[in-house]
Each structure stands twice: as C-alpha cells, then as structure tokens.
C-alpha cells in the first residue's frame, strides 16, 4: 500500500524543470523540483551527462519528501545552452517519470539486443588484452560497432557492441553466443588470473554503457588497491583525488572530494554512491579552471550514517576508484577512418606490436565512419616514446591517427590546505541548506 501511495504522489506531482539563461552570466541554470525517491539524483545527472553538458556548479537538497536541485551547465565549448530544441529536449527528459537508474545486476555476460549484441567483459588487465579480445571476435565473424573499455588497478572491464560481419545484425544463436562466451573467457582468464573471469547470458537492459562499466568494476572490487610485481611506473601522487569522510553531525556523514576536473565527474561519483546504497541529502559541486570540489551529506538507505572505520575506508576507496576509472591517463590518440570488418583488431594489433598499453578506449561507428579514441602508455604505465608514436602514425597514416592530448604534460591543479578547504566549503553547504529551509 505504501508503494502504491508513493506512486500516486509522484503522478500527482510530476517533476518541474526550469531552464534559465539569465540567472547566471557564464552558464545555463537548470532547476529541478520533484517528489523525492531513491535514485532520482542519478537520473537527473545522467540525463545531463547524456547530453554532453558540463556541470560547473550544483546545489543539491533532497531532505524530506521533496527533491530540489540546481545545476549550472555549459556545452563542450564552455558556452550557454541557447538552442531551443536542445533546451526543450532536456526539459522533456527531466520531466519524464521513466527511471534511468535500474538496480545493480550482478551478472556480467552477453546481452542480445535488436541492432547488436552487447558483450560485457571483465578480467585482469595486461598488455595486449584488447588486441587479443578483438582478434577472437574477428575470428568468430563478429564486427565491433561500438565499445568502451576501462582499466583500473590491474582490472579491466568493457562493454562491446557487436554484429554479425556478414548480415550486420545482432547475434542471437544460443550456440554461437556460448562459443563467444567460452573463447572470450579463456582470453580474459589468461595464464595467471587470481580472479576468475566470469560471463553469463543476461537479458537486455536499459542501463547506459558507462553505468554498466561502473557496476561491473564495482562488483569486481577494483577499488581494492594492489601492486603488480615487476612493474615500476611513474605516478604523480599530487594528481590523485583526495577524499575525506567525516561524521561531524549525528545524522549525516559528510563526504568531501577534491580532484582534477574532467567531464562526467559528478556522474561517476553519483553512480558509485547509488551502487553502494547511499542517499545524498544535501550537496554542492564547484569547479575551477582545473580542479573540482564536491561535498555531500549522505546516509545509507537504512537511514544510518557511516558507522565504522572499515565502512569509512571502503567509502574512500570506492570514491577514489570512481574518480580514477575514467581519468584520461596517458597519451590520447584519435582514429578517424572508413569503418571495415576487422579494423579494430588491426589497430590494436599494431599498438601491441609497438608495446603500447591501452588504458582506456572509446569506439564509435556512425555512418560508415570509425571515430575511436585510445588512451595509451608503455607497458609499465609510463609515457610513450614519441618516436614510437610517430612510427605508428606513419604505419596507420597521419591523416587517420592523430595525437590529441598528453595528460602527462598537462598542468596540475594547485594544492590547498586540506582541512581549510573542507570546512570552508562545508560552511557554504550548510549556509545553502539553511537558506533553502527558510525559503
């Protein structure tokens, strides 16, 4: 009865969205008021992320039965959202009652869809792994049309969309899917995998590819930091995220995060808090030229704040992992060329033969064109020799493969005193909360 009553309340009080270009000089302000329910913050942030909007500031308040959030957003060029069609589409998406945040599924496997087959992979990361996976798929007459690959803390996860290379359609034959599963498991397992790679056949879902990657890596416990024997790599510890978890009030745990700013950072953090079954009651997000600061008042879904040192340490580890998984580590290479069957297998083979290690990749095929991004280091995780990159570009073609960005040479954000930064911003959040309560 309580669940039916909650549904009735939501139907009688649909979300209200206001998009304002006059309230702020340098950003479009989006205000969302709605009946509160678990997961609504993730739904809103995912809609903004799917539209490739950059969130520069945010104020979150969802205590009690009402959700009232304000987001300052800009487009990829740092400009306000002026297109009327885009603004109307954002409003329609945010005012929809459809859920964009289904519960965590524990299985990882092969999911047939109408246009393609979604293959979800997880295993121990090693140099050349993506090349081996692509080679197996090519041998099995599977064409990779879209994919996203993340690596973190010696673990690798991928969501790969494939079609039959002769028909261009999804692969639905159970025997063929089982063969794909078995061979890919063998590749992922490798010769020495202490964490067995598991894959199962799962029904298709509506979860976004990026959300699934967070779920897969969280379930794989990639947040447990391990050291790989035999490898020494360059690591600038000053660039690592700084996360603190404090119980300074009886009813809430305050989580503060400071890190290098990047696109989709808020989405990654909210995904992880949701998967860990924490609820954000109040929060603020502020970004500068290079740095982002986020602060949230949270409780577990059972209504309790973080209650032990072990739980506090786990929250810190999981949020650090959420920030680091999508960090643009290494050299960014962009491939733009005509798509063909086996293209990804050929490109990743060339990378492997030149001792490049792919830390992250985004594979996109549209209108017969392949537009792929690869973030690469050498096999030890250190910067790649420019001579090797020049040789690879000559082999593939300078017009097809270009160097876009080198994170190693990027300027580092300024460091500030930790406690002063935390409590200074905590005062802002508490002030905001008091203002909202009296308004």
């Amino acid at each position: 009865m309580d669940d039916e009553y909650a549904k009735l309340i939501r139907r009688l009080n649909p979300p209200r969205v206001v998009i304002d270009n006059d309230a702020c000089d340098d950003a479009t302000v989006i205000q969302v008021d709605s009946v509160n329910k678990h997961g609504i913050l993730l739904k809103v942030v995912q809609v903004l992320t799917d539209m490739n909007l950059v969130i520069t500031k945010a104020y979150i308040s969802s205590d009690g039965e009402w959700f009232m959030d304000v987001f300052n957003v800009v487009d990829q060029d740092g400009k306000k959202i002026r297109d009327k069609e885009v603004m109307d589409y954002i409003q329609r998406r945010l005012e929809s009652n459809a859920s964009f945040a289904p519960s965590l599924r524990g299985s990882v496997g092969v999911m047939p869809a109408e246009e393609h087959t979604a293959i979800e992979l997880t295993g121990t990361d090693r140099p050349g792994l993506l090349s081996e996976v692509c080679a197996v798929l090519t041998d099995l007459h599977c064409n990779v049309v879209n994919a996203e690959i993340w690596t973190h803390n010696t673990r690798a996860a991928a969501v790969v969309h494939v079609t039959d290379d002769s028909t261009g359609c999804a692969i639905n034959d159970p025997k063929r899917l089982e063969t794909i599963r078995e061979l890919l498991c063998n590749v992922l397992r490798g010769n020495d995998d202490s964490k067995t790679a598991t894959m199962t056949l799962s029904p298709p879902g509506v979860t976004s590819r990026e959300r699934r990657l967070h779920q897969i890596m969280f379930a794989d416990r990639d947040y447990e930091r391990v050291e790989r024997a035999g490898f020494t790599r360059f690591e600038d510890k000053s660039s690592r995220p700084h996360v603190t978890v404090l119980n300074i009030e009886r009813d809430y745990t305050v989580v503060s995060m400071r890190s290098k700013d990047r696109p989709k950072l808020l989405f990654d953090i909210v995904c992880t808090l949701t998967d860990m079954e924490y609820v954000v009651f109040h929060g603020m997000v502020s970004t500068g030229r290079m740095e982002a600061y986020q602060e949230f008042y949270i409780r577990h879904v059972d209504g309790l704040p973080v209650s032990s040192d072990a739980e506090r340490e786990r929250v810190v580890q999981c949020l650090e992992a959420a920030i680091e998984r999508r960090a643009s580590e290494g050299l960014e290479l962009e491939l733009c060329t005509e798509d063909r069957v086996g293209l990804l297998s050929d490109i990743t083979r060339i990378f492997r033969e030149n001792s490049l290690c792919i830390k992250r990749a985004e594979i996109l095929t549209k209108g017969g064109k392949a537009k792929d991004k690869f973030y690469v280091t050498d096999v030890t995780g250190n910067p790649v020799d420019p001579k090797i990159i020049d040789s690879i570009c000559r082999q593939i073609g300078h017009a097809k493969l270009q160097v876009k960005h080198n994170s190693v040479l990027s300027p580092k954000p300024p460091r500030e005193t930790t406690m002063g930064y935390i409590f200074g911003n905590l005062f802002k959040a508490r002030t905001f909360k008091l203002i909202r309560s009296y308004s």
Side-chain angles (χ1 to χ4, degrees):
M1 288 295 295
D2 290 341
D3 188 49
E4 291 301 316
Y5 177 74
K7 290 179 180 178
L8 175 63
I9 293 298
R10 287 198 293 271
R11 282 197 297 269
L12 294 175
N13 297 275
R16 187 172 69 91
V17 178
V18 176
I19 302 177
D20 190 348
N21 269 318
D22 298 323
C24 179
D25 291 337
D26 54 6
T28 298
V29 178
I30 300 177
Q31 180 175 329
V32 183
D33 296 339
S34 172
V35 173
N36 193 19
K37 63 176 179 178
H38 181 51
I40 189 171
L41 176 60
L42 177 56
K43 170 188 170 179
V44 171
V45 173
Q46 183 167 330
V47 168
L48 299 178
T49 300
D50 289 346
M51 296 294 297
N52 289 321
L53 301 180
V54 178
I55 300 172
T56 59
K57 284 185 172 60
Y59 302 95
I60 299 162
S61 179
S62 59
D63 218 344
E65 297 182 357
W66 205 254
F67 172 90
M68 295 178 289
D69 286 11
V70 178
F71 301 90
N72 287 19
V73 302
V74 294
D75 62 17
Q76 293 290 304
D77 298 321
K79 298 179 180 179
K80 290 186 178 185
I81 315 304
R82 300 286 189 183
D83 191 306
K84 182 68 164 56
E85 289 187 8
V86 173
M87 294 169 66
D88 289 344
Y89 180 75
I90 294 170
Q91 186 148 0
R92 288 197 305 272
R93 284 284 305 274
L94 290 174
E95 290 181 348
S96 166
N97 283 317
S99 174
F100 289 88
S103 60
L104 172 64
R105 296 201 309 271
S107 59
V108 179
V110 183
M111 301 191 305
E114 290 184 5
E115 297 179 352
H116 56 255
T117 301
I119 301 177
E120 299 180 349
L121 311 171
T122 183
T124 298
D125 186 30
R126 65 178 186 273
L129 177 60
L130 180 58
S131 176
E132 294 177 36
V133 168
C134 293
V136 168
L137 291 173
T138 300
D139 289 343
L140 294 172
H141 302 286
C142 300
N143 185 41
V144 177
V145 291
N146 295 295
E148 190 147 357
I149 300 96
W150 292 358
T151 65
H152 178 250
N153 196 22
T154 77
R155 303 301 292 170
V159 177
V160 185
H161 295 171
V162 300
T163 59
D164 180 87
D165 66 6
S166 59
T167 66
C169 299
I171 301 167
N172 295 306
D173 178 43
K175 290 184 179 180
R176 187 176 177 190
L177 290 173
E178 180 61 20
T179 300
I180 294 171
R181 188 193 70 82
E182 289 179 0
L183 293 178
L184 287 178
C185 271
N186 290 337
V187 170
L188 292 167
R189 212 172 276 122
N191 297 323
D192 183 23
D193 193 346
S194 57
K195 291 186 177 181
T196 304
T198 57
M199 296 177 62
T200 59
L201 291 174
S202 304
V206 296
T207 307
S208 77
R209 193 167 60 196
E210 295 165 327
R211 175 119 168 83
R212 278 302 293 150
L213 283 166
H214 276 298
Q215 292 174 335
I216 292 167
M217 299 202 86
F218 176 73
D220 197 41
R221 303 175 72 89
D222 74 311
Y223 51 85
E224 295 177 343
R225 193 162 290 277
V226 297
E227 297 296 332
R228 182 178 291 182
F231 285 89
T232 303
R233 58 157 295 176
F234 168 82
E235 182 177 13
D236 183 0
K237 293 186 178 180
S238 67
S239 65
R240 287 204 61 205
H242 184 83
V243 181
T244 60
V245 179
L246 301 173
N247 282 13
I248 63 171
E249 289 191 358
R250 185 179 62 181
D251 296 331
Y252 298 103
T253 294
V254 179
V255 178
S256 303
M257 289 153 286
R258 188 179 68 238
S259 66
K260 184 178 178 180
D261 191 26
R262 61 168 175 78
K264 304 184 180 182
L265 179 61
L266 179 59
F267 172 78
D268 293 340
I269 289 170
V270 175
C271 271
T272 296
L273 288 173
T274 304
D275 289 340
M276 295 181 74
E277 298 190 319
Y278 288 104
V279 180
V280 176
F281 289 88
H282 302 280
M284 62 163 290
V285 175
S286 180
T287 64
R289 188 170 63 91
M290 292 181 293
E291 191 174 56
Y293 181 82
Q294 304 187 44
E295 183 174 270
F296 301 120
Y297 286 67
I298 67 168
R299 286 201 297 254
H300 197 265
V301 289
D302 60 11
L304 298 176
V306 173
S307 57
S308 68
D309 289 340
E311 183 184 3
R312 182 177 294 106
E313 179 64 20
R314 184 168 179 265
V315 171
V316 170
Q317 289 180 338
C318 289
L319 290 175
E320 286 178 344
I323 295 169
E324 291 174 340
R325 285 173 193 145
R326 207 204 294 258
S328 299
E329 182 179 0
L331 187 72
E332 180 184 342
L333 302 176
E334 184 175 89
L335 175 73
C336 295
T337 186
E338 294 289 331
D339 188 37
R340 58 175 173 80
V341 174
L343 173 65
L344 188 59
S345 178
D346 291 341
I347 296 298
T348 54
R349 174 182 52 78
I350 293 171
F351 287 175
R352 186 190 75 233
E353 291 171 348
N354 285 273
S355 300
L356 295 193
C357 187
I358 299 172
K359 310 303 292 185
R360 188 163 67 90
E362 301 170 13
I363 311 303
L364 176 64
T365 305
K366 190 173 183 180
K369 297 279 188 180
K371 189 171 184 179
D372 307 338
K373 291 181 181 179
F374 302 93
Y375 299 84
V376 300
T377 64
D378 69 10
V379 292
T380 63
N382 291 314
V384 183
D385 186 337
K387 294 180 181 178
I388 294 177
I389 295 298
D390 187 60
S391 173
I392 293 172
C393 288
R394 284 200 307 270
Q395 188 173 350
I396 296 174
H398 284 282
K400 297 177 181 178
L401 185 69
Q402 296 185 347
V403 176
K404 303 299 290 185
H405 176 68
N406 190 346
S407 65
V408 175
L409 301 178
S410 298
K412 300 295 186 295
R415 305 297 295 172
E416 303 203 23
T417 305
T418 302
M419 298 306 292
Y421 204 112
I422 290 173
F423 286 106
N425 284 276
L426 178 62
F427 175 76
K428 294 178 187 177
R430 291 170 62 85
T431 304
F432 170 72
K433 183 172 67 172
L434 290 171
I435 292 171
R436 294 299 291 265
S437 64
Y438 283 105
S439 61

